Amino acid sequence: MQHMHPWPEIPSPFPPPLRLLVADDNPVVRAGLTALLSGREDTTVVAEAADGREAYEAALRHRPDVILLDVRMPGVDGISALPHLVRLAPVMMLTYSHETETVREALRLGAGGYLVHGEFTTEQLVRAVRDVREGRPHVTPGAAKALLTELRASASAHVEPQLPQFLGKNSPETLSQLQSPMGQSFRSRFRLSTREAEIMDLIASGMTNQQIAAACFISEKTVKNHINRIFAKLQTTTRSQAAAKWLGVA
């Protein structure tokens, strides 16, 4: 009797879907996000939560790839839960608020992104979730604009600016909001290479050398070498000076 060979395994054209946790006190928003993100091949919602405490318990239990977290929830809100949740998984804030203070606090506490409802399509949301999963910050235009306004105000007051933590390069629609009216031509006068410009964007986003090394798949020593060349070209000595010049607010 002829030995039957099992069928060879055909590799799936899609990677396994990203496993998401949705935390929002509004059941309609929660159900909508879950329906949107579970009906796709590249994402699935493994758990839902109505406040920060539930989100933490669900994250411990399900270990999602990314947590979508509302800012304002009764009981334990998103900002209070954030420092605990970021230890378990990358967190994307998903909210109706782009008050500067809230955006800045969320990013300071470790949120990987800040999306404001009404400023993104489902495709943009999925792309942002993937970016956050891979350690690339993602901020929608309203939130970025709030931060940029504050940066410009602090720079014009000759105060050491509080750097915004946005990253334009992964989001063309955000980049246009972040640049000065002169756009790329303004930046081109610094004559940075493509890699140097990419690293300068990351510096302006508030990332550390260690985070930049991870994002670019290079060593910290290489990052430092790039930064030395960038500082020389921008004629600056600190990250905040370089970022202010790069953003056109120096």
Side-chain angles (χ1 to χ4, degrees), residues 22-30 49-51 70-74:
V22 174
D24 196 305
D25 65 306
N26 183 327
V28 177
V29 172
R30 228 170 39 236
D51 68 20
D70 187 23
V71 169
R72 292 199 170 85
M73 295 180 286

Side-chain angles (χ1 to χ4, degrees), residues 105-235:
E105 187 65 1
L107 295 170
R108 189 181 71 76
L109 291 172
Y114 197 105
L115 300 193
V116 178
H117 285 293
E119 293 191 348
F120 55 86
T121 62
T122 307
E123 288 307 319
Q124 285 166 338
L125 171 60
V126 171
R127 192 169 73 235
V129 166
R130 289 209 166 275
D131 278 349
V132 167
R133 174 79 180 93
E134 289 161 24
R136 292 194 294 265
H138 212 104
V139 180
T140 49
K145 209 169 180 184
L147 287 167
L148 190 62
T149 304
E150 185 192 36
L151 176 70
R152 287 194 168 132
S154 65
S156 64
H158 305 293
V159 176
E160 192 75 349
Q162 179 76 40
L163 292 182
Q165 304 205 9
F166 45 62
L167 177 53
K169 80 180 180 62
N170 294 303
S171 173
E173 67 278 4
T174 306
L175 194 57
S176 62
Q177 299 272 348
L178 305 181
Q179 289 173 345
S180 68
M182 292 171 279
Q184 283 291 9
S185 60
F186 157 74
R187 291 175 174 212
S188 64
R189 69 192 172 98
F190 297 123
R191 304 202 184 287
L192 299 194
S193 69
T194 306
R195 176 59 111 183
E196 287 165 356
E198 180 184 21
I199 287 172
M200 191 56 238
D201 274 335
L202 298 175
I203 291 169
S205 82
M207 287 172 80
T208 63
N209 287 3
Q210 189 180 10
Q211 290 168 323
I212 294 169
C216 297
F217 301 102
I218 55 179
S219 71
E220 276 190 68
K221 187 175 185 302
T222 305
V223 172
K224 283 175 188 164
N225 292 340
H226 281 304
I227 290 174
N228 288 337
R229 284 196 292 275
I230 290 165
F231 282 4
K233 289 181 181 180
L234 267 60
Q235 297 181 320

